[in-house]
Amino acid sequence: MSVPNWPASLPQFPWDQSFNGGPRDTRARFDPELGPPILRNRTTANPQVFDAVFRNLSLVALSAFEAFYAGDIGNGVKAFAWRDPVRGDAALWKIVGSGELAYNVVPRRGDKHDLSFKIMRLPGTPWWAGYVRAGSSVVPQVVAHQVAQREAVV
């Protein structure tokens, strides 16, 4: 099964002043009758959630995003490969929405639209991350290694 990629026809990074967020608070808190609160981890893998805005997209680019959302990632159910705008490494992401809206479109003047959504970086590093070419989010379909031949010692 192949991993969907962030579409090459869209900007590869959101508006730099809009990408903000961080790790979710995954601690469980218990308040005893006396003493300080007791905290424990709920999970060992902590996802990160960010707000992202893509400004001034044309209607063609907006349609490309809508086709990607509805088709490639199954209305946001599937994860996809995308290069982290902050770290620069390839990772798996999901569009998580805001509760009511999966994503938001704001029409601007003429043929320009702003697209915004909440996006989650899934924990861990995918095995294929090191094989993604610099400046790309495209996951290779096949990875082949050449085995070095050893010389016979006589």
Side-chain angles (χ1 to χ4, degrees), residues 13-20 53 55 85-86:
F13 298 108
W15 182 44
D16 59 356
Q17 297 175 9
S18 75
F19 194 75
N20 60 70
V53 177
R55 296 190 66 194
V86 176

Side-chain angles (χ1 to χ4, degrees), residues 1-152:
M1 180 173 85
S2 65
V3 176
N5 302 301
W6 180 256
S9 60
L10 292 174
Q12 293 304 296
F13 298 108
W15 182 44
D16 59 356
Q17 297 175 9
S18 75
F19 194 75
N20 60 70
R24 284 192 165 172
D25 187 1
T26 58
R27 299 173 294 175
R29 179 185 172 115
F30 304 97
D31 292 319
E33 286 185 33
L34 299 172
I38 299 169
L39 300 171
R40 70 167 175 82
N41 287 324
R42 289 184 186 176
T43 180
T44 57
N46 194 0
Q48 298 176 357
V49 179
F50 297 91
D51 292 316
V53 177
F54 292 85
R55 296 190 66 194
N56 297 321
L57 295 180
S58 67
L59 192 54
V60 171
L62 183 60
S63 296
F65 171 80
E66 289 172 338
F68 167 73
Y69 184 81
D72 295 354
I73 61 173
N75 290 319
V77 173
K78 298 178 190 173
F80 60 93
W82 189 45
R83 191 165 289 282
D84 190 308
V86 176
R87 295 184 189 150
D89 59 336
L92 281 174
W93 298 79
K94 274 190 162 186
I95 295 175
V96 292
S98 63
E100 281 189 32
L101 298 176
Y103 57 88
N104 190 36
V105 177
V106 178
R108 298 292 177 202
R109 293 184 183 182
D111 184 31
K112 301 299 178 191
H113 305 81
D114 290 353
L115 169 68
S116 61
F117 48 79
K118 283 198 178 300
I119 189 166
M120 177 185 289
R121 181 181 169 139
L122 300 178
T125 302
W127 69 267
W128 43 259
Y131 297 100
V132 176
R133 281 188 247 144
S136 171
S137 294
V138 178
V139 176
Q141 297 299 313
V142 175
V143 175
H145 291 279
Q146 182 176 359
V147 178
Q149 294 184 0
R150 296 184 184 184
E151 293 184 23

